[in-house]
Amino acid sequence: MNSFINRTISGALMLIISFICIYLKGYALVGYSMAITIFCLIELFRTFKLNDVFMIGFSLIFSMGMLYSISISNENLVLTFFASYFLIISIYYLFFNKMSIESLGRLLFSFIYISVPMGVFLKLGYTNLLWIVFLISWGTDTFAYLFGMIFGKHKLCPSISPKKTIEGALGGIFGSLILLNLFNYFVLKNNIVFVTLSGIILSIVAQIGDLFASKIKREMGIKDFSNIIKGHGGFLDRFDSIIFVTPLVYIVFYIFGGNI
């Protein structure tokens, strides 16, 4: 019961802070996006046992550059930051014995896995579409948790995440669809069939993102990426589905949906 209460309280606080920053936009949203990116990267670096202070600091600085470049849709800047980052870490790997090829791969993966989606996240923050990211991601997570707790009997993917159930997954899709269609009715006013089909796909992708992060944790022998958010673990535990959903929301709604 205590864990449920802690999860509810910390989840509500995260929700309030997130919605305030999205509503205010401007510096509040930029600071929010940068903070989430930094926290998630640090958690992932710790998980991968990447302890080189120089490379961690360098990666964090360049991740901010990627965040900014993607958010303003400057392809030349994106290419410049990524190419420069790859070149510098490759030179560092070549001439310094501190880094193995495995560490190099983990560093590059972390940089792409977090920085690119969070850049798209910031870009969507200046439209109504960022609300969809949260409605789908956290709606799926919340309803999957509740449906799984009440109705869960059949394991979804026990080798990766033993507590997740098929009933929970279906409940997550159902609950997030209700939230998305309400948002569409009052704000987007898009075609209901398009929104519903997109919502199903996005909810499935949100759960794939969650399972993806769970597999990383299982392979690395940890339960959570950190314990900074009571009942949820770390920031990456809370944003793992958002990282997967954000680029797809951009593709589906920003490019093809025609709504901002």
Side-chain angles (χ1 to χ4, degrees), residues 22-205:
I22 295 172
Y23 177 77
L24 293 176
K25 296 183 171 59
Y27 290 118
L29 181 64
V30 172
Y32 176 87
S33 303
M34 290 173 65
I36 297 302
T37 302
I38 290 171
F39 277 117
C40 287
L41 276 172
I42 290 174
E43 288 176 351
L44 202 54
F45 290 155
R46 284 185 57 196
T47 299
F48 288 148
K49 298 178 173 61
L50 299 171
N51 302 315
D52 190 303
V53 176
F54 171 76
M55 288 312 301
I56 290 174
F58 176 76
S59 297
L60 292 177
I61 291 171
F62 264 68
S63 70
M64 296 301 99
M66 284 289 286
L67 202 72
Y68 172 74
S69 303
I70 294 171
S71 70
I72 63 171
S73 301
N74 191 319
E75 294 85 356
N76 292 331
L77 266 181
V78 172
L79 181 60
T80 299
F81 272 105
F82 180 76
S84 300
Y85 180 76
F86 181 72
L87 178 61
I88 292 170
I89 64 172
S90 298
I91 293 172
Y92 192 79
Y93 162 73
L94 186 62
F95 293 105
F96 293 87
N97 294 326
K98 294 180 180 180
M99 182 178 288
S100 65
I101 188 63
E102 182 180 15
S103 295
L104 178 69
R106 288 176 173 179
L107 192 68
L108 186 60
F109 164 77
S110 301
F111 182 78
I112 297 172
Y113 175 53
I114 303 296
S115 302
V116 173
M118 288 308 297
V120 180
F121 179 93
L122 181 55
K123 180 180 178 62
L124 288 180
Y126 297 101
T127 74
N128 285 323
L129 300 182
L130 191 55
W131 296 105
I132 295 178
V133 173
F134 281 96
L135 290 174
I136 290 291
S137 299
W138 288 2
T140 298
D141 180 64
T142 301
F143 281 96
Y145 177 76
L146 293 174
F147 272 70
M149 186 170 59
I150 299 171
F151 304 108
K153 291 183 179 180
H154 303 89
K155 300 297 183 183
L156 177 65
C157 198
S159 63
I160 297 176
S161 187
K163 293 184 178 180
K164 286 181 171 55
T165 63
I166 295 174
E167 292 81 2
L170 293 175
I173 295 172
F174 175 74
S176 62
L177 276 181
I178 292 176
L179 296 176
L180 180 60
N181 275 291
L182 285 172
F183 182 74
N184 179 61
Y185 179 80
F186 289 106
V187 181
L188 294 181
K189 305 185 185 304
N190 212 325
N191 181 280
I192 189 171
V193 175
F194 169 77
V195 170
T196 300
L197 292 176
S198 299
I200 293 172
I201 295 171
L202 288 168
S203 184
I204 292 172
V205 169

Side-chain angles (χ1 to χ4, degrees), residues 226-257:
S226 75
N227 59 0
I228 195 169
I229 307 174
K230 288 186 177 181
H232 294 272
F235 279 91
L236 189 49
D237 294 288
R238 202 70 186 97
F239 281 80
D240 49 11
S241 58
I242 285 177
I243 286 169
F244 266 61
V245 167
T246 299
L248 192 58
V249 168
Y250 177 80
I251 293 169
V252 172
F253 284 96
Y254 192 89
I255 296 179
F256 295 107

